[in-house]
Amino acid sequence: MVNSGAVPTLGFDWSMNYYRGAVQSEKILMGVPFYTRGWTNVQGGENGLHGSSKTPATGEENLWCDLDENGNEIAAGANPLWHVLNLMEKDSNYKKYWDPVGCVPHVWNDVTKTFLTFEDEQSIQERINYVKNNNLGGVLIWVMHGDYDYDEEKQEYTVGDTLTTMLYDQLTQAGPTEITSDVDLDVEVADFDVDFGGKYDHPNYYYSINITNHTGEALKGFTLSFDLPKSAIFQGSYGGGTPVITDAKDPAFQTVTIQGPAWKELNDGESMELTGSIKLNFAGVKNFKLNGKAMKSEVEAERARLQRLGVEVPDIVNPPEKPEEPDEPVEELEDTYDNTAVYTAGDTVVYQGKTYVCKWWTQGMALGNENGPWQLQTK
């Protein structure tokens, strides 16, 4: 998600869409923290959520603290999850709350105005669902000894594997992720090249698309489309018609279709620049199509990648061959040779549908003799 000010919402969903602009979903891992970050003197927000503070937590709310060069505690509110569970067991002022938007809990102490990020079984289940629903490669945990179990004998939480086991069991049961492609391989291709570049000036990316026509045909009023990750916002194109934005096949993308200028023809072998702006365009675009036909070089490269991974891919859908034009009918000539006539050098006659040129004076001499007075005329 991106807010109206074009500032990225740096949660996992935005990050996933951002990286999807560059890589396939199965290459992305979700980061799962088995530690907290925390602040005290939090003002505003709802039970600390979306409040503000300039005071990172210290002391018993910063068990995993780093030390500076003088050996002093660095405030950060860093704790293993099992430690925060023990804080809640010992002090009822620490209460856990659920954020339905971020799908994650947090711990809030209204007395000390302390806010601690957190993870539990409910949030891990949400993460598992997200990984499976979006065909992600899995999760990355930092760090595993922040996980917890409850020690009945000691009556306290200790280092354990509650959340790790949830992740292992469910993701193992789900099986390997699917190898996917972000390029449409089942549409007709066309021979053209696209060089997508530009200049970034936060939050705007002023793109420059150089398209080169190799189709063998002149193009006028063409359309060019591409898929843009939803972490970015398409602003508009300069020149041409009004861009059209639709949902792409993959929910992480939108398809942007822009028009070339109707007044300018793009001849075979020529290039044309299309310009415009996209907010937060960090990851680029893909899946180019010219008049609905996929870029041949992009399709060929994607087919080769999938084949290296052992994936069966459809054949390239080449444009249908143009039927050969029939040869022009050969006009049959009527014979003009007269056996009784007198011919001199340079005269021409037609005999049995063939044209002959006279080499010297003759009368009644048969045609077809190479050593005779008549020479067969060839094209």
Side-chain angles (χ1 to χ4, degrees), residues 8 19 21 33 54 60 114 144 152 157 160 185 243 245 257 286 292 326 335 350 358 374:
Y19 282 109
K54 296 181 180 179
E60 69 172 355
T114 299
M144 295 183 69
E152 293 286 352
Y157 288 92
L185 303 177
I245 302 176
T257 302
K286 61 178 65 175
D335 285 0
V350 176
C358 186
W374 294 101

Side-chain angles (χ1 to χ4, degrees), residues 160-186:
D161 61 4
T162 299
L163 305 183
T164 306
T165 299
M166 280 186 65
L167 290 164
Y168 175 81
D169 287 346
Q170 294 192 44
L171 294 180
T172 300
Q173 186 177 11
T177 53
E178 179 186 357
I179 297 176
T180 62
S181 173
D182 299 324
V183 177
D184 292 337
L185 303 177
D186 55 353

Side-chain angles (χ1 to χ4, degrees), residues 2 9 14 44 94 123 126 144 187 232 248 252 328 372:
V2 181
T9 303
W14 184 90
Y94 291 99
S123 64
E126 292 286 348
M144 295 183 69
V187 298
E328 294 184 4

Side-chain angles (χ1 to χ4, degrees), residues 79 92-93:
N79 304 278
S92 62
N93 290 316

Side-chain angles (χ1 to χ4, degrees), residues 64-84:
W64 271 358
C65 68
D66 290 326
L67 301 178
D68 64 17
E69 58 185 10
N70 297 316
N72 299 318
E73 175 184 356
I74 297 177
N79 304 278
L81 301 179
W82 51 264
H83 175 66
V84 179

Side-chain angles (χ1 to χ4, degrees), residues 1 13 45 87 132 136 153 343 363:
M1 296 176 63
D13 189 67
L87 289 179
K132 291 164 62 175
L136 302 186
E153 183 177 342
Y343 296 97
Q363 180 182 24

Side-chain angles (χ1 to χ4, degrees), residues 71-301:
N72 299 318
E73 175 184 356
I74 297 177
N79 304 278
L81 301 179
W82 51 264
H83 175 66
V84 179
L85 286 168
N86 285 330
L87 289 179
M88 287 190 282
E89 286 284 305
K90 297 173 183 177
D91 187 343
S92 62
N93 290 316
Y94 291 99
K95 292 182 171 60
K96 184 171 67 173
Y97 296 90
W98 178 258
D99 173 16
V101 177
C103 296
V104 67
H106 66 274
V107 175
W108 172 245
N109 187 323
D110 194 48
V111 175
T112 61
K113 303 300 180 183
T114 299
F115 177 92
L116 297 171
T117 61
F118 199 62
E119 294 281 350
D120 62 4
E121 289 96 326
Q122 185 178 2
S123 64
I124 292 300
Q125 187 60 59
E126 292 286 348
R127 292 177 181 272
I128 292 171
N129 296 342
Y130 192 96
V131 168
K132 291 164 62 175
N133 293 339
N134 290 277
N135 192 54
L136 302 186
V139 300
L140 182 149
I141 300 168
W142 185 267
V143 286
M144 295 183 69
H145 60 285
D147 199 354
Y148 57 83
D149 277 329
Y150 189 72
D151 190 320
E152 293 286 352
E153 183 177 342
K154 294 182 179 179
Q155 293 292 292
E156 65 179 22
Y157 288 92
T158 61
V159 177
D161 61 4
T162 299
L163 305 183
T164 306
T165 299
M166 280 186 65
L167 290 164
Y168 175 81
D169 287 346
Q170 294 192 44
L171 294 180
T172 300
Q173 186 177 11
T177 53
E178 179 186 357
I179 297 176
T180 62
S181 173
D182 299 324
V183 177
D184 292 337
L185 303 177
D186 55 353
V187 298
E188 185 180 319
V189 300
D191 195 359
F192 64 98
D193 292 322
V194 173
D195 181 15
F196 185 92
K199 180 180 179 181
Y200 192 77
D201 184 10
H202 185 76
N204 294 313
Y205 181 83
Y206 298 99
Y207 68 78
S208 171
I209 299 175
N210 280 288
I211 176 171
T212 304
N213 178 17
H214 300 297
T215 64
E217 300 177 350
L219 304 174
K220 191 174 183 180
F222 61 85
T223 62
L224 179 72
S225 68
F226 50 82
D227 288 349
L228 176 72
K230 287 185 177 178
S231 57
I233 305 172
F234 188 80
Q235 288 293 101
S237 59
Y238 307 147
T242 303
V244 177
I245 302 176
T246 57
D247 288 333
K249 291 181 180 179
D250 191 297
F253 293 90
Q254 288 182 322
T255 298
V256 177
T257 302
I258 56 180
Q259 280 190 319
W263 53 269
K264 186 176 182 181
E265 195 168 70
L266 179 59
N267 295 313
D268 183 51
E270 291 184 346
S271 298
M272 181 183 294
E273 182 184 31
L274 305 176
T275 59
S277 66
I278 305 172
K279 289 187 181 294
L280 303 174
N281 185 49
F282 302 117
V285 301
K286 61 178 65 175
N287 204 25
F288 292 103
K289 293 191 180 71
L290 178 65
N291 290 337
K293 299 178 182 180
M295 186 165 71
K296 186 175 182 180
S297 59
E298 187 179 30
V299 169
E300 289 175 338

